[in-house]
Amino acid sequence: MSAATGAADHRAVIHAQGLGKVYSPGTQAEVVALDGVDLDIRAGEFVAIMGPSGSGKSTLMNLIGCLDTPSSGRYLCDGEDVATLDSEARARLRRDKIGFVFQGFHLLPRMSALENVALPMGYAGVSPDERLSRAQAALESVGLGERAGHRPNELSGGQQQRVAIARALINAPPILLADEPTGALDSRTGEEILALFKQLQQRGHTVVLITHDADVAAHCDRVFVMRDGRMHEEGAA
């Protein structure tokens, strides 16, 4: 299920230059959520974007994930200039390039783990038999092959998050974007999930972790901190 093999290379899979986002521009309700953010994340890196509520990290996540478009600046996702894409092309880019993992798991309760993992392939035109085969392989890659037939309410929180990670991996995206992925887990289970992300990095995925927790961010190779819509890298001069 890996996107590639080997350590980080020098190619930026996430490149933002002067990225800005303004809500309700020109009105009394105007909010500058992002202010001139520059960011380069290379293939195979494990990076944290940290900051308190209201710092702009969620807005940046939405732009990196091609869920929103910037008001200013430029963003290249795996070499593609997102500003040149229409909504359909952005949806394809999200499907093929980015796997999303969220704090709340977002699993469908009436579906088994296997069916939840297979779901994204329905939008990619993959045959039913291949969907199930690939979903089983994805579950095995996160250590949950024997729990494929279980529904979410029959799984622990950590197991549910592993299912969500398997689902994010199913289309072999080069980028994994994880928003507070340990926020709903106890500390021991959270450590296990962070170790899994490290394994995925070693398999060649680029992992971007959005968090407010410095202890979580400490597991990453680089840490960027958002404050009032601006960014700096911890430890940078």
Side-chain angles (χ1 to χ4, degrees), residues 73-91:
R74 191 167 183 240
Y75 172 46
L76 272 64
C77 178
D78 204 25
E80 290 198 63
D81 189 339
V82 176
T84 66
L85 307 177
D86 60 21
S87 59
E88 187 176 327
R90 281 200 309 275

Side-chain angles (χ1 to χ4, degrees), residues 43-152:
E45 284 197 287
F46 188 14
V47 169
I49 297 174
M50 196 171 79
S53 178
S55 63
K57 70 180 187 301
S58 294
T59 300
L60 180 60
M61 182 199 74
N62 287 337
L63 295 182
I64 291 173
C66 302
L67 297 168
D68 199 0
T69 54
S71 305
S72 58
R74 191 167 183 240
Y75 172 46
L76 272 64
C77 178
D78 204 25
E80 290 198 63
D81 189 339
V82 176
T84 66
L85 307 177
D86 60 21
S87 59
E88 187 176 327
R90 281 200 309 275
R92 284 197 301 271
L93 183 68
R94 283 195 302 273
R95 182 194 70 197
D96 296 339
K97 302 291 187 181
I98 304 168
F100 293 92
V101 181
F102 300 100
Q103 176 177 336
F105 316 140
H106 294 187
L107 302 177
L108 297 178
R110 297 191 179 187
M111 286 187 169
S112 68
L114 187 71
E115 291 165 335
N116 267 285
V117 173
L119 192 62
M121 288 183 286
Y123 307 111
V126 179
S127 71
D129 285 348
E130 186 180 348
R131 281 182 227 167
L132 295 179
S133 174
R134 284 170 55 181
Q136 181 66 38
L139 283 170
E140 289 171 2
S141 78
V142 298
L144 275 187
E146 78 288 353
R147 308 289 281 179
H150 291 254
R151 291 185 179 183

Side-chain angles (χ1 to χ4, degrees), residues 200-212:
L200 294 172
Q201 177 202 15
Q202 290 165 357
R203 296 180 205 170
H205 290 280
T206 304
V207 183
V208 181
L209 203 63
I210 312 297
T211 184
H212 69 279

